[in-house]
Amino acid sequence: MTGSVAILGAGTAGAGWAARFALMGWSVRVFDPDPGAAARVASVLDNARRALPGLSDRRLPPEGDVVHAATISQAVSGADWIQESVPERLDLKRTLYQKVQEHAADDAIIASSTAGFTPTALYGQGARRCQIVVAHPFNPVYLLPLVELVMAEDAPGWALDRAEQVLRGIGMMPLPVRREIDGHIADRLMEAVWREALWLVHDGVATTAEIDEAVRMGVGLNWAQMGPFESALLSGGAAGVDQVVSRIVPGLDLPRTHLTEMPEATEALARIVADQAGAQAGGRPLEELERIRDRNLVAVLRALKWAGWGAGAHLRDVDALLENGAAEIAGPIRSVARTVPLDWVDHNGHMTEARYMQVFSDATDRVVELMGCDAAYIAGGASFFTVESHIRHLAEAKPGAALHVESLCLAAEGRKLHLFHRLFAEGREVATAEALLVHVSLETRQAAEPGAELARRMAEIARAHAALPRPAGVGRSVGQKPL
Amino acid sequence: MTGSVAILGAGTAGAGWAARFALMGWSVRVFDPDPGAAARVASVLDNARRALPGLSDRRLPPEGDVVHAATISQAVSGADWIQESVPERLDLKRTLYQKVQEHAADDAIIASSTAGFTPTALYGQGARRCQIVVAHPFNPVYLLPLVELVMAEDAPGWALDRAEQVLRGIGMMPLPVRREIDGHIADRLMEAVWREALWLVHDGVATTAEIDEAVRMGVGLNWAQMGPFESALLSGGAAGVDQVVSRIVPGLDLPRTHLTEMPEATEALARIVADQAGAQAGGRPLEELERIRDRNLVAVLRALKWAGWGAGAHLRDVDALLENGAAEIAGPIRSVARTVPLDWVDHNGHMTEARYMQVFSDATDRVVELMGCDAAYIAGGASFFTVESHIRHLAEAKPGAALHVESLCLAAEGRKLHLFHRLFAEGREVATAEALLVHVSLETRQAAEPGAELARRMAEIARAHAALPRPAGVGRSVGQKPL
């Protein structure tokens, strides 16, 4: 389902909404009198185009138009959804809604991005209160799924249904908030962190960078996938849901901080938390949740390692401390030695095809690095591209298996490099890959002669390997009868 | 560097320490009089073996022994590092340290896992205070890098150096805390969230599950990679570091919550935060940080999508709402239609080899799904394994490019299925893959006849495709001259 949306106010949040709606196929009209608004929307839309479509394994609908409206009435006339993201001033918002309601359809939803005000506060004395809801997003709006959806108690059912449908249709995860409170849910939690974090900075206990590290190297990784309660459930060993509150509470009312007022830790509160946390676990034993948590963490940590950021940058540093094997090039080169990670496994319970290719690609990277095509060489504007490869699967590799690759240089002639990799899991040959690479200029993206030192090393290794026996599988085509 | 470590107290934290030290090659002696301790350590070690080694792209050192010591003296004699993780009672810890110091080497480091006490509180009247430090880890200890390292002001330099070296050597990220305070840094922030979260549950505003969703679908994803301050810096558009405090502070002292005592938002505090946040950004323009954030988020979200958990489970639901193309099988089958995500790109600036294989593997999955080998069929205990494949790279695919695959069934005979995929980026053919698959029993892991309905559909599609022209590249071996 797509439609027409009016974006009122194009700051970071408004521009993010515009980008998400447009990329999910809605036609977008933006109203913001700020002369910088158009450039801001264009820039956020660029960022969103770069990041959002690839999140999906399917094609997104054709992108909707984004036009800038000269007036509020132009923006909201005929719109199905009106998203207000103007500054957090109640008088400003109320005046705007009056204007909007003069021109908008009676059944259009007017959603406010407010982080703090309740729908009842937003209504004021306005007409048609039931069309005004809170839909509070999180930055960047085009990537984070959460939107807090708040309605007054007397809001009609159709408004909630429509709002949920629209928000899910643009890829968001609406969280209906069961009671109107200032700050909804997420901002209350975030503000709690802010207060404590500012005290730490104020008191000279930690810098902003240290506080960020204390979050993203630890609890942030848990909270990206399980949230505070489920994480706490798993930090207490076998004690289980009944113990969640008793594990959390000690310390909370100690005078460690300026902020210690606590709800009384009655048995009734402990019971509520235990029941809710138990329902949340959905009958899964703690041992299973632990394994799920670990699989999630491995996947998230390895994603950050690919990005080279935060905990992932740290993991790269850790690797640098580990032995990378001897660079013995006379025999077959031991180009990879590693373990099959948890996130390399598919629905068949073994290492997935794409990860075989990743291991072979890592093996190729290591061989050409030993030849002199290292990070510095590549930064100089040349590299190898794979032209062709042939994979044979001989047996399965299971998660946790120790892998190694033995690589052979079959030939190195001019721009061409011909390699053969044998992959072993726990010492057993599980796959081979034959690869033809060509040396390219990264500027022209065309084949180019390798640098002199690289050419010399390529020839040297090819000569050394020419004397070695050719393994089974070299030169095969798919489906050819076995030797 | 490895060595010998004593683990005193084997609850969740202690067992996690034991597992991390052992997997990083240390020999481990555990002391915990609880009769359940040995089973707990074995279980945590199993979890750690499953998850930790794969985080690295290199081989970990040989695993160290884990033995259970009958007495404290047996555990600590000759140990280089003594990790205390007994319950959070000061008297208990102090008594333990006295006993430890009778038997431990004078230069062994005694590290406490305490979440709350300062080193000075831990020393009490004990001797050799300088060997007692706080090394506070986060659960699961074998995966999360953060360890808060706290020392008293008069601790000698060698102790800090040694502690950092040991902790980095087992893959952790020690964060030296510049001042002793109860609760260090991370627990203060976590406890702030706990207090507010318990009020929300207590007041009936949200359930534990809703609070977890409010975190892991939004801010938790930011905090897994950037932390609160850097995330806030990017939520204000172009305003920059000078505006961080003025963007955070409004709302923090509103009576939204029971907890509102705030440090006064003086210009001096604003200056400190601005300077620190600026230093943290390290000269990177905000636009660059935004792109880094988005790349991180795409990688993390796609990792969670692989895991099918949290925001990743949500993304799978979003995909299910999108068109998956018509299942027209008479011509070449349009088996994939998607966009190249940000996390599929390598150092050469184009889609990496492994991701070509992933697209082709997805294409194969879609073709066999259309033949009847869908999730339900696979759950019944049979599937296809790839035996052999041949990839030709014809041109590059850039991030953001629209991809589609046209798949041809070259043959389907008994257990064998022979496919040919052509991959197009923005309409241009960039690669082909020829694949030979065999139908297997997931129980025996051996070739097996497909089910009758699957065999019928395989034959039907093979017949329909037999009439279609064979594309260039079928039957090639690596390095064969072009046609």
Side-chain angles (χ1 to χ4, degrees):
Chain A
M1 187 204 63
T2 62
S4 166
V5 62
I7 302 294
L8 306 180
T12 307
W17 278 110
R20 187 183 266 276
F21 271 108
L23 285 170
M24 297 303 286
W26 284 58
S27 90
V28 178
R29 276 168 287 168
V30 177
F31 174 77
D32 188 329
D34 173 8
R40 198 157 50 234
V41 170
S43 149
V44 171
L45 196 51
D46 271 353
N47 279 351
R49 283 194 192 109
R50 184 172 162 272
L52 178 65
L55 277 189
S56 176
D57 296 301
R58 301 186 177 182
R59 199 71 70 75
L60 296 188
E63 189 176 314
D65 289 335
V66 178
V67 299
H68 288 266
T71 63
I72 291 173
S73 77
Q74 276 180 23
V76 306
S77 299
D80 304 297
W81 186 276
I82 295 147
Q83 187 70 39
E84 168 272 307
S85 312
V86 304
E88 294 281 67
R89 281 173 38 211
L90 206 47
D91 57 335
L92 195 69
K93 289 178 190 272
R94 285 180 179 169
T95 309
L96 180 64
Y97 298 153
Q98 283 178 15
K99 185 99 183 172
V100 168
Q101 287 185 322
E102 287 169 22
H103 301 281
D106 281 8
D107 62 350
I109 288 186
I110 304 173
S112 173
S113 300
T114 181
F117 298 119
T118 63
T120 295
L122 294 172
Y123 299 147
Q125 304 306 315
R128 297 202 304 277
R129 355 180 326 150
C130 70
Q131 76 180 142
I132 301 176
V133 306
V134 167
H136 174 230
F138 296 80
N139 190 55
V141 180
Y142 51 84
L143 285 181
L144 297 186
L146 183 65
V147 54
E148 291 176 313
L149 186 56
V150 198
M151 302 199 158
E153 216 171 303
D154 60 349
W158 68 261
L160 179 63
D161 293 346
R162 275 269 302 287
E164 289 216 43
Q165 194 189 4
V166 166
L167 294 167
R168 287 195 183 276
I170 58 168
M172 301 189 91
M173 210 291 294
L175 179 67
V177 178
R178 57 183 69 222
R179 273 179 49 190
E180 295 187 76
I181 53 161
D182 293 322
H184 323 317
I185 299 171
D187 265 55
R188 290 206 160 206
L189 303 175
M190 287 165 66
E191 289 175 3
V193 169
W194 281 123
R195 270 179 223 107
E196 195 72 351
L198 287 176
W199 278 119
L200 291 171
V201 172
H202 174 269
D203 295 346
V205 172
T207 66
T208 61
E210 287 161 357
I211 289 168
D212 280 356
E213 289 290 53
V215 171
R216 70 183 185 161
M217 293 287 177
V219 70
L221 295 163
N222 277 336
W223 291 0
Q225 35 107 21
M226 282 195 165
F229 282 100
E230 202 160 30
S231 301
L233 178 63
L234 297 184
S235 68
V241 294
D242 283 355
Q243 304 303 315
V244 175
V245 164
S246 63
R247 222 168 28 247
I248 297 167
V249 166
L252 295 196
D253 56 355
L254 292 179
R256 290 182 183 175
T257 161
H258 305 264
L259 308 160
T260 54
E261 194 196 351
M262 269 287 298
E264 209 187 329
T266 58
E267 286 214 9
L269 179 60
R271 192 69 256 150
I272 291 169
V273 171
D275 288 348
Q276 293 181 353
Q280 201 177 337
R284 284 194 176 88
L286 285 189
E287 298 70 32
E288 185 185 340
L289 279 173
E290 280 173 356
R291 285 192 297 269
I292 291 171
R293 175 201 61 198
D294 289 357
R295 187 198 54 182
N296 295 343
L297 285 173
V298 167
V300 167
L301 285 166
R302 292 189 50 84
L304 289 171
K305 190 176 182 184
W306 166 82
W309 192 261
H314 167 73
L315 287 176
R316 291 189 183 193
D317 293 344
V318 172
D319 273 6
L321 298 176
L322 296 171
E323 288 293 330
N324 196 15
E328 183 53 65
I329 57 123
I333 296 168
R334 203 178 170 91
S335 51
V336 167
R338 62 164 304 131
T339 302
V340 180
L342 280 182
D343 63 332
W344 282 17
V345 178
D346 67 9
H347 53 261
N348 288 328
H350 55 205
M351 190 162 94
T352 189
E353 270 183 278
R355 301 306 186 166
Y356 278 89
M357 190 59 110
Q358 181 166 335
V359 172
F360 288 128
S361 177
D362 290 345
T364 294
D365 285 351
R366 176 70 174 149
V367 171
V368 303
E369 184 191 15
L370 291 172
M371 288 173 170
C373 178
D374 54 13
Y377 185 90
I378 294 170
S383 187
F384 282 100
F385 286 179
T386 302
V387 178
E388 201 167 15
S389 53
H390 184 97
I391 313 285
R392 291 155 66 234
H393 294 275
L394 309 175
E396 299 177 77
K398 296 298 177 78
L403 299 180
H404 80 270
V405 177
E406 295 181 2
S407 298
L408 205 63
C409 176
L410 297 179
E413 291 157 11
R415 302 156 179 185
K416 283 189 189 170
L417 181 62
H418 194 160
L419 302 178
F420 194 85
H421 305 295
R422 298 172 71 195
L423 171 62
F424 298 82
E426 302 292 344
R428 178 184 182 195
E429 189 168 12
V430 295
T432 67
E434 185 175 356
L436 186 68
L437 294 103
V438 62
H439 183 271
V440 296
S441 153
L442 289 175
E443 197 179 331
T444 65
R445 317 299 281 187
Q446 301 294 321
E449 291 301 320
E453 175 57 18
L454 173 57
R456 193 189 64 71
R457 285 283 287 171
M458 285 167 65
E460 181 187 349
I461 292 178
R463 263 199 312 277
H465 288 199
L468 300 173
R470 266 33 193 164
V474 170
R476 264 185 72 85
S477 59
V478 169
Q480 199 181 338
K481 288 268 172 271
L483 300 178
Chain B
M1 186 205 63
T2 61
S4 165
V5 61
I7 302 294
L8 306 180
T12 307
W17 277 112
R20 188 182 267 276
F21 271 108
L23 286 170
M24 297 304 285
W26 283 59
S27 89
V28 178
R29 274 168 289 168
V30 177
F31 174 78
D32 188 331
D34 174 7
R40 199 157 50 236
V41 170
S43 150
V44 171
L45 195 51
D46 272 352
N47 280 351
R49 283 194 192 110
R50 185 173 162 270
L52 178 64
L55 277 188
S56 175
D57 295 303
R58 301 186 178 180
R59 199 70 70 77
L60 296 189
E63 189 177 316
D65 287 335
V66 178
V67 298
H68 288 267
T71 62
I72 293 174
S73 77
Q74 276 179 22
V76 306
S77 299
D80 303 297
W81 185 277
I82 294 148
Q83 186 72 37
E84 168 274 306
S85 312
V86 304
E88 294 281 66
R89 280 173 39 209
L90 206 47
D91 56 336
L92 195 68
K93 289 179 190 272
R94 286 180 179 168
T95 309
L96 179 63
Y97 298 153
Q98 284 179 14
K99 185 97 183 174
V100 168
Q101 288 184 322
E102 287 169 23
H103 302 282
D106 281 9
D107 62 350
I109 288 187
I110 304 173
S112 174
S113 300
T114 181
F117 298 119
T118 63
T120 295
L122 293 172
Y123 300 147
Q125 304 306 315
R128 298 202 304 277
R129 355 183 325 152
C130 69
Q131 75 179 141
I132 301 176
V133 306
V134 168
H136 173 228
F138 296 81
N139 189 55
V141 179
Y142 51 86
L143 286 180
L144 297 186
L146 182 64
V147 55
E148 290 176 314
L149 186 56
V150 197
M151 300 197 158
E153 218 170 302
D154 60 350
W158 68 261
L160 180 62
D161 293 345
R162 273 268 304 287
E164 289 216 42
Q165 194 190 2
V166 166
L167 293 168
R168 288 196 181 276
I170 57 167
M172 300 189 93
M173 209 290 293
L175 179 67
V177 178
R178 59 183 67 222
R179 271 179 49 191
E180 293 186 80
I181 54 161
D182 293 321
H184 323 316
I185 300 171
D187 265 56
R188 290 208 160 205
L189 303 174
M190 286 165 67
E191 288 176 3
V193 168
W194 281 124
R195 270 179 223 106
E196 195 71 351
L198 286 176
W199 277 120
L200 291 171
V201 172
H202 175 268
D203 295 346
V205 172
T207 65
T208 62
E210 287 161 358
I211 289 168
D212 279 357
E213 290 290 54
V215 171
R216 70 182 184 163
M217 292 287 177
V219 70
L221 295 163
N222 277 336
W223 291 358
Q225 35 107 21
M226 282 194 164
F229 282 99
E230 202 160 28
S231 300
L233 178 63
L234 297 183
S235 68
V241 293
D242 283 355
Q243 303 304 313
V244 174
V245 163
S246 63
R247 227 173 20 253
I248 295 168
V249 166
L252 294 196
D253 57 354
L254 292 178
R256 288 183 182 174
T257 161
H258 306 264
L259 308 161
T260 54
E261 194 197 353
M262 270 286 299
E264 209 186 332
T266 57
E267 288 215 9
L269 179 60
R271 193 67 257 149
I272 291 169
V273 172
D275 289 347
Q276 292 181 354
Q280 201 177 337
R284 285 194 176 88
L286 285 190
E287 297 71 29
E288 185 186 340
L289 279 174
E290 280 174 355
R291 286 192 296 269
I292 290 171
R293 175 200 61 195
D294 289 359
R295 188 198 54 180
N296 295 343
L297 284 173
V298 168
V300 167
L301 284 166
R302 292 188 50 83
L304 290 172
K305 191 176 183 184
W306 167 82
W309 193 259
H314 168 74
L315 288 175
R316 290 189 183 194
D317 294 343
V318 172
D319 273 7
L321 298 175
L322 296 171
E323 288 292 329
N324 196 13
E328 182 55 64
I329 57 123
I333 297 168
R334 201 178 172 91
S335 51
V336 167
R338 61 162 307 128
T339 303
V340 180
L342 281 182
D343 63 331
W344 283 17
V345 178
D346 67 10
H347 54 262
N348 288 327
H350 56 203
M351 191 163 94
T352 188
E353 270 183 277
R355 301 307 186 164
Y356 279 88
M357 190 57 110
Q358 182 166 337
V359 172
F360 288 128
S361 176
D362 290 346
T364 293
D365 284 350
R366 176 69 174 148
V367 170
V368 302
E369 184 191 17
L370 291 172
M371 288 173 169
C373 178
D374 54 13
Y377 184 90
I378 294 169
S383 187
F384 283 99
F385 286 179
T386 303
V387 178
E388 201 168 14
S389 54
H390 184 97
I391 313 285
R392 291 155 66 234
H393 294 275
L394 309 175
E396 299 177 76
K398 297 296 176 81
L403 298 181
H404 79 270
V405 176
E406 296 180 3
S407 298
L408 205 64
C409 176
L410 297 179
E413 290 157 11
R415 302 156 180 184
K416 284 190 188 170
L417 181 63
H418 195 161
L419 302 177
F420 194 85
H421 305 296
R422 299 172 70 196
L423 171 62
F424 298 82
E426 302 291 344
R428 178 183 182 197
E429 189 168 11
V430 294
T432 67
E434 184 175 354
L436 186 67
L437 294 103
V438 62
H439 183 271
V440 296
S441 152
L442 289 175
E443 199 181 329
T444 65
R445 317 299 281 187
Q446 300 295 322
E449 292 301 320
E453 176 57 20
L454 173 57
R456 193 189 65 70
R457 285 283 287 171
M458 285 167 66
E460 182 187 351
I461 293 177
R463 263 197 313 277
H465 289 199
L468 301 172
R470 267 32 194 166
V474 170
R476 265 185 71 85
S477 59
V478 170
Q480 200 182 336
K481 289 268 173 266
L483 298 179

